């Protein structure tokens, strides 16, 4: 029995080690090759770099205008996630506490909308906000944020809805009796209790919005507005197969979220699993 | 529960709490979706031309567009390949990282990493592997199928997209399965062990039936994602070589924004919507029926 247990545990480790290598290897390749010249990369893609040459990184930061696209991505992601969180929490709260026909119908409509593929909305979206209203020319980044709030609200309302139901109403009654308005009660009593759910919802929304490509590629047309995925696409087109620049560029693009993961991995993993259970 | 005496106050609250969400949801989803349905009935070659009503002509054109059906069929093959493998692999990984060995959290964290990064960037990272790394290994070891540039081959390019998609999603599904596995009651497992069930019987007769709710979620997510695949497809192959890996999303984007045939592109997008809605709807309906009470 002991020997068998040991064998099983050895096999488990072996399988995990193999999967670890398979899952992490591409990132490892990026790291070791980011310091090499084109010649070295083609010669031996697996060898460790002979020197830590940061020259290509500096060149990429400059050529990519990296900090502009980084700033744009941060602004778009932060504002979208913030407003999705606040508005969705308010809506879900009111839907639970006031289950009128209208509110229940709205909730059903939002849940049903989650199966609409983005592809069946994108053409009219570009038509309405581009050709008809010219918002794409006038204010692409605010438009992008508005659209993210709209797309993100359904899942977030759905998740908050499930959680608000578990909060006892007595707490709110007490604060209403003490003279708080409905809005004060929500912001002072209910919203603080929603913080753990908000963290989960924020993580799920950040992962999606930070990395999104298709929507920004349709809305953002001017270089100064590009988010990081769009910028990387343009950079890849310009420096086709020039690996000594492309690899540092890819590494720089993935670095912010990898660093965030390093610090918040516990919350991120927990957020994803809680998001799935709801 | 909220019961307002004054109608005005009640309307005020309704607007305050649900107004912003309704506004943004309508701007991003409801209005474009409804307008999109209307657009399919019109003849619109470019955004500048006036809209002319054309009945079901666009749907007729869409149904006769062989490139659309080719891309849809390719997508179905892609769906079958990825949904099956991602779910099996995700479940096996979840099983391994909850088996009680040391460093479980480390492995969970590491295997989830690809999900942090968008499909477009992952596609570019793997381009390096398919274009440079694998051929160089193939050269050194004399393995012919590694030496071929996968992305330039009509059949291998499809499998390259499948591999990257599996690599990207398996870790996410693993996390969902882990949440399900942790919730399998310990006493049920112990009881079945005492009753003499071996590991395989416990997996088949206890764990898997209790995991159905997790599978409902993961199969739904993988189905939906696979039908809408775009980023990885775009960054790895751009639909090539010779259009051999153009999946339905990319076809619709090209139809509308490259060929400027908006009405037909939108009609094809609506056909895609109906297919995805029916398939995911049936999937959730039938798998919910399989759920057992713990």
């Amino acid at each position: 029995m002991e020997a068998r247990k040991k064998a099983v545990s050895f096999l488990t480790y072996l399988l995990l080690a193999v999967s670890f290598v398979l899952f992490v290897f591409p990132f490892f390749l990026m790291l070791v090759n980011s310091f090499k010249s084109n010649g070295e990369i083609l010669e031996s893609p697996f060898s460790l770099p002979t020197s830590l040459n940061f020259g290509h990184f500096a060149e990429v930061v400059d050529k990519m205008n990296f900090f502009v696209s980084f700033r744009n991505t941060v602004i778009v992601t932060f504002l979208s996630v913030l407003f999705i969180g606040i508005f969705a929490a308010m809506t879900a709260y009111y839907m639970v506490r006031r289950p009128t026909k209208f509110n229940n119908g709205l909730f059903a409509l939002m849940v049903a909308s989650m199966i609409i593929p983005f592809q069946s909305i994108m053409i009219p979206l570009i038509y309405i906000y581009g050709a008809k209203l010219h918002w794409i020319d006038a204010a692409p980044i605010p438009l992008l944020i508005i659209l993210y709030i709209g797309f993100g609200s359904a899942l977030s309302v759905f998740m908050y809805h499930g959680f608000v139901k578990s909060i006892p109403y007595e707490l709110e009654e007490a604060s209403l009796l003490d003279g708080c308005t409905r809005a004060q009660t929500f912001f002072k009593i209910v919203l603080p209790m929603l913080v753990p759910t908000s963290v989960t919802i924020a993580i799920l929304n950040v992962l999606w919005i930070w990395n999104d490509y298709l929507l920004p590629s349709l809305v953002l047309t001017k270089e100064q507005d590009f988010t990081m995925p769009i910028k990387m696409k343009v950079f890849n087109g310009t420096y086709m197969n020039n690996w000594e620049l492309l690899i540092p560029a890819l590494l720089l693009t993935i670095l912010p979220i990898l660093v965030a993961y390093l610090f918040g991995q516990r919350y991120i993993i927990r957020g994803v699993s809680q998001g799935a259970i709801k | 529960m909220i019961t307002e005496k004054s109608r005005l106050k009640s309307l005020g609250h309704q607007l305050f709490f649900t107004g912003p969400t309704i506004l943004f949801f309508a701007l991003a989803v409801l209005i474009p979706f409804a307008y999109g349905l209307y657009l399919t009935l019109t003849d619109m070659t470019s955004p500048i031309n006036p809209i002319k009503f054309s009945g079901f002509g666009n749907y007729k054109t869409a149904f006769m567009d062989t490139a659309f059906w080719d891309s849809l069929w390719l997508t179905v093959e892609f769906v079958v390949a990825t949904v099956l493998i991602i779910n099996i692999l995700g479940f096996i990984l979840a099983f391994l990282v909850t088996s009680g060995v040391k460093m479980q959290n480390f492995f969970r964290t590491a295997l989830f990493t690809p999900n942090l990064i968008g499909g477009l960037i992952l596609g570019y990272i793997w381009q390096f592997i398919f274009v440079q790394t694998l051929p160089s290994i193939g050269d050194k070891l004399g393995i012919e199928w590694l030496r071929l540039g996968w992305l330039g081959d009509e059949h291998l390019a499809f499998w390259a997209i499948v591999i990257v998609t599996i690599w990207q999603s398996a870790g996410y599904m693993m996390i969902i399965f882990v949440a399900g596995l942790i919730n399998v009651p310990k006493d049920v497992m112990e009881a079945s062990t005492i009753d003499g069930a071996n590991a395989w019987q416990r997996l088949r007769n206890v764990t898997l039936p209790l995991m159905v709710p997790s599978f409902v979620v993961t199969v739904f997510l993988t189905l939906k994602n696979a039908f809408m695949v775009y980023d990885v497809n775009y960054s790895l192959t751009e639909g090539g070589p010779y259009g051999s890996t153009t999946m339905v999303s990319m076809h619709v984007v090209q139809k509308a924004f490259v060929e400027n045939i908006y009405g037909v592109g939108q009609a094809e997008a609506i056909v895609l919507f109906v297919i995805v809605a029916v398939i995911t709807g049936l999937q959730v309906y039938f798998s919910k029926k399989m759920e057992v009470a713990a």
Side-chain angles (χ1 to χ4, degrees), chain A residues 9 11-13 15-17 19-20 22-27 29-30 33 41-46 87-88 90-91 93-100 102-103 106 109-110 113-129 131-132 135 146-151 153-154 157 169 182-183 186-187 204 207 210-214 218 228-230 232-233 236 240-241 243 247 250 253-254 257-258 261 265 268-269 272-273 276-277, chain B residues 1-4 10 13-14 16-22 24-33 35-36 39 44 46-49 51 89 93 96-97 99 101-103 105-122 124-129 131-133 136-137 140 166-168 170-172 175-176 179 183 217 220 224 228-231 234-235 238 249 252-253 256-257 262 265-266 269-270 272-273 276-277 280:
Chain A
S9 137
L11 192 67
T12 308
Y13 271 120
L15 289 173
L16 280 173
S19 354
F20 174 79
L22 288 175
F23 276 74
V24 175
F25 196 63
F27 300 114
L29 271 184
M30 291 292 113
N33 285 309
I41 294 171
L42 300 185
E43 180 69 25
S44 52
F46 298 110
F87 294 151
M90 289 165 69
T91 304
Y93 165 75
Y94 199 70
M95 281 172 167
V96 172
R97 292 292 183 239
R98 194 124 197 274
T100 57
F102 178 82
N103 283 337
L106 181 63
L109 187 68
M110 294 188 90
S113 79
M114 284 195 267
I115 58 162
I116 299 177
F118 175 69
Q119 285 75 6
S120 43
I121 300 183
M122 70 185 176
I123 295 168
L125 208 65
I126 300 314
Y127 184 75
I128 296 170
Y129 299 115
K132 288 266 166 190
W135 290 8
I146 290 173
L147 296 177
Y148 277 135
I149 300 172
F151 289 127
S153 56
V157 165
Y169 188 59
R182 177 65 58 190
F186 172 76
F187 284 106
L204 294 177
L207 285 181
W210 183 277
N211 291 312
D212 193 27
Y213 168 70
L214 187 50
L218 299 173
M228 285 176 5
I230 313 294
M232 189 61 229
K233 187 227 140 192
N236 188 72
M240 210 56 163
N241 291 338
W243 299 112
I247 291 175
L250 285 166
T253 308
I254 65 178
I257 201 131
L258 286 184
Y261 189 49
Q265 36 106 354
I268 293 170
I269 296 276
V272 169
S273 55
I277 296 167
Chain B
M1 291 302 116
I2 303 172
T3 44
E4 306 291 4
S10 149
H13 280 153
Q14 180 81 44
F16 176 74
F17 281 101
T18 63
T21 300
I22 293 176
F24 290 110
F25 181 62
L27 284 175
V29 181
L30 287 185
I31 296 170
F33 187 69
Y35 199 75
L39 276 185
M44 182 178 64
S46 87
I48 310 127
N49 289 0
I51 288 176
L89 187 64
L93 291 176
L96 292 176
V97 297
S99 60
V101 296
K102 279 183 198 141
M103 289 165 64
N105 284 333
F106 169 78
F107 284 116
R108 279 179 212 180
T109 308
L111 302 185
F112 182 79
T113 315
N115 289 283
L116 301 164
I117 295 150
L120 185 91
I121 307 291
L122 293 181
Y124 287 140
I125 292 176
W126 276 82
Q127 206 174 52
F128 175 68
I129 295 174
V131 173
Q132 291 301 337
T133 316
S136 113
I137 300 176
K140 280 192 182 119
I166 292 167
W167 175 78
Q168 176 188 15
Y172 198 96
I175 295 297
I176 298 178
N183 286 331
V217 176
F220 174 79
K224 202 179 142 185
M228 288 183 245
V229 60
Y230 182 83
D231 295 9
Y234 184 83
S235 59
E238 286 190 54
S249 248
V252 171
V253 172
F257 301 118
Y262 286 76
Q266 181 58 20
I270 294 297
L272 173 68
F273 160 67
V276 174
T280 52

Side-chain angles (χ1 to χ4, degrees), chain B residues 128-252:
Chain B
F128 175 68
I129 295 174
F130 286 122
V131 173
Q132 291 301 337
T133 316
L134 290 183
S136 113
I137 300 176
D139 257 348
K140 280 192 182 119
L141 303 178
I143 304 171
E144 193 53 37
W145 57 273
L146 281 181
R147 281 187 53 205
L148 304 165
W150 274 41
L151 302 179
D153 181 280
E154 296 188 25
H155 298 286
L156 291 177
F158 171 79
W159 289 103
I161 303 171
V162 171
I163 288 173
V164 177
T165 307
I166 292 167
W167 175 78
Q168 176 188 15
S169 311
Y172 198 96
M173 301 310 146
M174 170 191 77
I175 295 297
I176 298 178
F177 285 127
V178 166
L181 281 172
I182 289 171
N183 286 331
V184 171
K186 286 249 162 33
D187 49 336
V188 181
M189 288 302 260
E190 273 164 24
S192 62
T193 314
I194 293 166
D195 287 345
N198 62 33
W200 172 247
Q201 286 169 325
R202 280 202 304 271
L203 175 68
R204 237 194 84 87
N205 299 322
V206 182
T207 312
L208 280 178
L210 287 173
M211 288 292 286
V212 170
S214 302
F215 277 101
V216 176
V217 176
T218 57
V219 174
F220 174 79
L221 286 176
T222 42
L223 261 181
K224 202 179 142 185
N225 291 345
F227 265 111
M228 288 183 245
V229 60
Y230 182 83
D231 295 9
V232 172
N233 190 185
Y234 184 83
S235 59
L236 270 183
T237 66
E238 286 190 54
Y242 320 112
S244 59
T245 60
T246 304
M247 286 192 244
V248 67
S249 248
M250 186 171 286
H251 176 84
V252 171

